[in-house]
Amino acid sequence: MKRTTGPRALALIISAILLLAGCGREQAADESEDPKLLLGFSQLGSESSFRIGNTRDIEEKAEEYGISLMLENANQKQENQIAAIRSFIAYRVDVIAFSPIVEDGWDNVLREAKDAGIPVVLVDRTIRTEDDSLYESLIGADFYEEGVMAAEYLLRKADDLGKDRLNIVEITGTEDSTPMKQRHEGFFDTIGGDSRMNLLESVNGDFLRSRGAECMEYLLETYGDDIDVIYSHNDEMTMGALPKIENAGYRPGEDMVIISIDGGQEAIDILKEGKINCIVECTPMLGSILMETAMKLKAGEAVEKVTHPVERTFSDYDDIGNLEPRGY
Ligand code: GZL
């Protein structure tokens, strides 16, 4: 029977090697200048410009703050994030940070971190737990508010279009992730009382460009001319959908209102061309707040339980000709 080394076994092997080889933190400190702070960060993957920009910003800010960073990319797998957190515990980092790919399934490993006396910071997304002492701080967007901002744009657009019926299709992000759940709730809570608004169907695109294209192909085959509005939970899926809309003979941004989220350069440029009507910003630039928070935790100082960055909307109602380069 072929035996593979699962992530848990892998974490245990890494831990054993580190401990047996005496490469734990204490040993390293004797041999070289101990950095002022060792931060272990588990990134969930590289699925979007947002994610790649977030990783780059964290790396750059660690360098700027003189913080030693152990960064592990989980390639969209929760089990890889759990294994990475266990290896950070074995290595006895000062602070653990991670962007949880989904909300559930973290209590056990975070209890191990807590038992080891290592503080944990959530970056970008949050977890669902009965015990919020398992993490010190959440640094990330208010996704519910992003959904509200998207809906507020649509209500304004609906008034200008003067239609008494708007059929909506929704392309959602990763199932059970905080942005997927809250962007949906914020949007539909805001338009819920408006009789003009009609949801045809929500389909899951997992925040991926390729899946966004597949979702749009299905929605066009199923609803075609009936589609008035596309609400997409991130720019990657939106950019996957756009060629499908055009190949089907529709003008995105004119025949169909396109609302997206993130605000990376590629999507902003498409908005300037008029093929996307509204983009709600979701900034990946969380590195500075993360480094400040990690340094406070190491110094034993109090930190905010939740920090939301300030975000805005870009739309066809704005003059964005002179917008600063987005940096992601
Ligand atoms: C939101 C972040 C989402 C982005 C997507 O902060 O978690 O994940 O909107 C990314 O682009 O995949």
Side-chain angles (χ1 to χ4, degrees), residues 8-266:
R8 188 175 178 82
L10 186 61
L12 293 172
I13 291 168
I14 293 169
S15 312
I17 290 168
L18 290 174
L19 294 173
L20 289 171
C23 287
R25 191 68 193 295
E26 293 69 23
Q27 182 72 26
D30 300 343
E31 291 161 11
S32 64
E33 179 59 38
D34 194 12
K36 64 183 174 185
L37 193 156
L38 179 56
L39 171 65
F41 180 73
S42 167
Q43 181 57 286
L44 67 85
S46 310
E47 75 285 357
S48 65
S49 304
F50 167 95
R51 189 66 53 202
I52 292 162
N54 179 241
T55 300
R56 184 172 55 240
D57 187 59
I58 287 169
E59 289 172 331
E60 288 173 357
K61 294 301 187 298
E63 182 83 25
E64 201 175 296
Y65 279 75
I67 287 173
S68 292
L69 178 68
M70 293 173 77
L71 189 146
E72 297 283 339
N73 189 314
N75 296 314
Q76 316 318 119
K77 289 186 170 55
Q78 180 176 28
E79 59 267 30
N80 290 349
Q81 289 199 281
I82 292 171
I85 292 169
R86 286 201 165 105
S87 62
F88 297 151
I89 294 169
Y91 201 75
R92 299 213 50 70
V93 299
D94 295 299
V95 177
I96 292 171
F98 74 112
S99 180
I101 187 166
V102 292
E103 291 193 339
D104 295 313
W106 303 99
D107 279 15
N108 290 340
V109 72
L110 294 188
R111 209 162 281 122
E112 292 167 28
K114 184 176 179 183
D115 293 346
I118 302 175
V120 173
V121 178
L122 306 180
V123 175
D124 172 32
R125 301 182 183 178
T126 191
I127 63 172
R128 185 161 51 177
T129 181
E130 297 298 317
D131 178 3
D132 72 359
S133 75
L134 292 176
Y135 66 92
E136 301 304 319
S137 182
L138 162 64
I139 300 167
D142 181 343
F143 301 119
Y144 185 90
E145 181 58 26
E146 291 175 350
V148 170
M149 291 159 75
E152 286 172 344
Y153 168 83
L154 181 56
L155 291 169
R156 178 179 178 185
K157 194 72 176 178
D159 293 344
D160 291 347
L161 292 171
K163 288 187 167 183
D164 57 12
R165 186 92 168 149
L166 284 172
N167 291 321
I168 302 162
V169 293
E170 181 188 29
I171 305 178
T172 66
T174 302
E175 205 72 40
D176 190 34
S177 70
T178 314
M180 178 264 184
K181 294 161 75 171
Q182 295 185 5
R183 286 170 180 169
H184 175 87
E185 288 163 14
F187 185 85
F188 289 98
D189 285 354
T190 304
I191 65 168
D194 189 315
S195 60
R196 297 172 293 180
M197 306 295 175
N198 173 52
L199 174 62
L200 294 174
E201 189 171 353
S202 288
V203 286
N204 181 268
D206 204 17
F207 286 132
L208 298 172
R209 193 176 296 223
S210 57
R211 293 279 296 113
E214 292 165 10
C215 291
M216 198 66 236
E217 199 159 33
Y218 160 76
L219 292 166
L220 288 163
E221 284 165 4
T222 309
Y223 303 104
D225 286 348
D226 290 343
I227 299 172
D228 299 305
V229 181
I230 297 155
Y231 173 45
S232 167
H233 286 191
N234 88 328
D235 295 341
E236 295 304 317
M237 299 187 295
T238 303
M239 291 185 285
L242 290 175
K244 298 295 182 185
I245 296 168
E246 293 177 307
N247 294 343
Y250 299 100
R251 296 166 300 167
E254 295 176 60
D255 300 327
M256 296 175 184
V257 176
I258 315 278
I259 301 171
S260 188
I261 301 178
D262 276 346
Q265 192 62 57
E266 187 181 2

